[in-house]
Structure formats: C-alpha cells, structure tokens
Amino acid sequence: MKKQIQYTADVVGYGKFMDARELLARYRAGDRIFSGLRLLEVELLQVDLSGADFSGSDLRQSRLGRTHFVKSNFTQADLSEALLWGANFTAADCTQVQLRDADLSGAVFVQAQLPQANLIKAILCGVNFQGANLAQAWLIDTDCRPTSDQQTNLRRANLQGANLSYADLSGAQLAQADLRGAKFCRAHLGQSFRPDSLKTDLTEANLEGADLSYADLTGAILRGANLKGADLTGSTLRNTDFTGAILPDGSHP
C-alpha cells in the first residue's frame, strides 16, 4: 500500500505521460491508480485492467478494443474518439466521462454509472447499457442501430433528463427504461425500411414529460408506457403500438 500511495502522489495533477508497456507492468505489479495521466493514443487490446482508477486521465484516440475495465473508475476521464469496440465496463464509474465520437460498438456497460457523460456522436451499435445510469447524459446524434448480431440494450436504464436529440435508436431495447424528461427531439425510434428490421421496444418505459417532438416512432412498441405530459408535436406515429399506454393527456388509447 505504501508504494501505491507514493506513486499516486507522484503523478496525480501533473499529467504525466505513460505508455502501454509501463502501464501494464505497473498493473501486473499491483498498482491500480492511474488517475490524471496522459495516455493519449495508447493501444491496449484484449487485456484485463479491471478495478483500475483512470479518473481524470487523457485517453483520447486510444485503441482499447475488447479490454476489461470491470469496476474501473473513469470519472471525468477523456476517451473522445477512442476505439472501444467490445470493451467491458460492467459496474464501472464513468461519471462525467468524455466519449464524444468514440466507437463503442458491442461494448458492455451493464450497471455502469454514466451520469452527465458526453456521448455526442458516439457509435453505440449493439452496446449493452442494461441497468446503467445515464441520467443527464448527452447522446446527441449517437448511432444506436443494431449490429448484425445484437441490439443496443437500454433495458431498465436510467436516462432521466438525458439528451438524445437526433439519435438513431432504431431497433433499440428501451423496455422499462426511466426516460422522464429526456429529450428525443427529431430522434429516430422507428423501424427502418427493411421488412426484417427490428422494432424499437419501449414497453413500460417511463416517458413522463419527455420531449418527443418531431421524433420518428414508426412501428415502435410503447405498450404500457407512461407518456403523461410528453411532447409529441410533429412526431411520426404510423403503426405505433400504444396498447395499455398512458397518453400525454393522461388518457388511455
């Protein structure tokens, strides 16, 4: 423990640069504190860095595909434009993390904490956010379309107050998600034109007070969803399933 405390004091706040070889050597030696580091463009593919602390670190444009970050700390870290396909962030703390323009295809964020995260223009195809906390996160213009083998999973995720304007959520699983006050202005939540395309599932989702203005909800499943006070101005509702839902005026269909 004494060695680890000394190492932390040496690097935190100074933006020390560290390459992949040194980081892995320190991790294997038992160090877990890598906060405040400059790891710009580092390549760490298919390695296990679970439980590590990268809070406040600069990991922009890094290549971290299929790496395990289970229960790691990325609070206020910058992962903008990083390649994170298939990475495992299960139960990780990613509060206020910067993931703008990052490729997260197939990544796992089950039960992860991402409040106020910046995911603007990120690629989220096939990401598993089941049970994750994305309250007040920014997901503007994100791509959440299903991959060839999996859907983007936001089941039971907390997206209260999140901004998903212009996001492509076609085929995403949002059943039982908390979407109160979320912004879906001009978001795409409908089926694509392919006959075999998947429907966006918002079964029992809480959309109370959500902004769905000019959103495309073609063919979306909103069975049992709560839309009380939601703004559906200009929304496309062709073949949308509102069975058992609470409509914006509090009535039932």
Side-chain angles (χ1 to χ4, degrees):
M1 180 63 70
K2 185 176 180 180
K3 175 184 177 183
Q4 185 164 312
I5 292 173
Q6 181 63 47
Y7 166 61
T8 305
D10 288 342
V11 300
V12 173
Y14 292 93
K16 176 182 176 181
F17 176 79
M18 185 177 291
D19 61 21
R21 182 178 298 179
E22 182 181 358
L23 189 151
L24 287 173
R26 288 186 178 273
Y27 185 88
R28 289 163 183 161
D31 286 332
R32 295 293 182 268
I33 309 300
F34 304 104
S35 56
L37 295 179
R38 288 186 66 243
L39 295 158
L40 192 66
E41 298 183 10
V42 71
E43 182 170 304
L44 293 162
L45 303 176
Q46 302 185 59
V47 297
D48 190 349
L49 294 168
S50 296
D53 183 357
F54 292 100
S55 58
S57 288
D58 184 354
L59 289 139
R60 286 174 294 165
Q61 299 179 349
S62 294
R63 294 167 294 281
L64 305 167
R66 299 193 182 282
T67 291
H68 288 263
F69 296 111
V70 177
K71 296 184 178 180
S72 291
N73 185 358
F74 285 92
T75 302
Q76 296 183 335
D78 194 344
L79 289 147
S80 300
E81 300 180 45
L83 298 178
L84 294 155
W85 35 264
N88 189 347
F89 291 89
T90 297
D93 187 351
C94 299
T95 302
Q96 296 182 341
V97 69
Q98 295 289 322
L99 287 161
R100 185 175 184 129
D101 291 298
D103 185 351
L104 292 153
S105 301
V108 178
F109 285 89
V110 173
Q111 299 294 328
Q113 295 295 314
L114 294 118
Q116 300 178 30
N118 182 351
L119 289 146
I120 294 173
K121 294 187 177 180
I123 299 173
L124 305 177
C125 299
V127 175
N128 188 349
F129 284 115
Q130 182 161 324
N133 179 12
L134 291 128
Q136 298 180 354
W138 291 74
L139 293 94
I140 299 171
D141 205 17
T142 53
D143 187 353
C144 302
R145 291 173 296 176
T147 63
S148 59
D149 57 349
Q150 58 188 331
Q151 293 173 266
T152 299
N153 185 356
L154 286 152
R155 291 177 63 87
R156 295 191 294 277
N158 178 7
L159 286 149
Q160 281 192 69
N163 193 334
L164 295 104
S165 301
Y166 297 92
D168 191 339
L169 289 148
S170 55
Q173 300 177 42
L174 287 149
Q176 299 178 338
D178 188 345
L179 303 165
R180 287 175 290 174
K183 296 177 178 62
F184 290 93
C185 181
R186 299 190 184 277
H188 184 64
L189 293 145
Q191 280 182 288
S192 68
F193 295 108
R194 298 195 319 271
D196 60 342
S197 62
L198 299 166
K199 294 182 178 181
T200 303
D201 188 358
L202 288 148
T203 301
E204 297 180 359
N206 191 345
L207 286 149
E208 186 172 355
D211 180 3
L212 289 154
S213 56
Y214 303 98
D216 183 359
L217 288 156
T218 301
I221 302 169
L222 284 141
R223 296 173 187 164
N226 180 6
L227 290 150
K228 189 174 182 179
D231 184 358
L232 292 170
T233 303
S235 297
T236 303
L237 303 173
R238 188 171 57 254
N239 298 323
T240 305
D241 185 353
F242 288 106
T243 304
I246 301 173
L247 299 181
D249 61 1
S251 65
H252 292 271

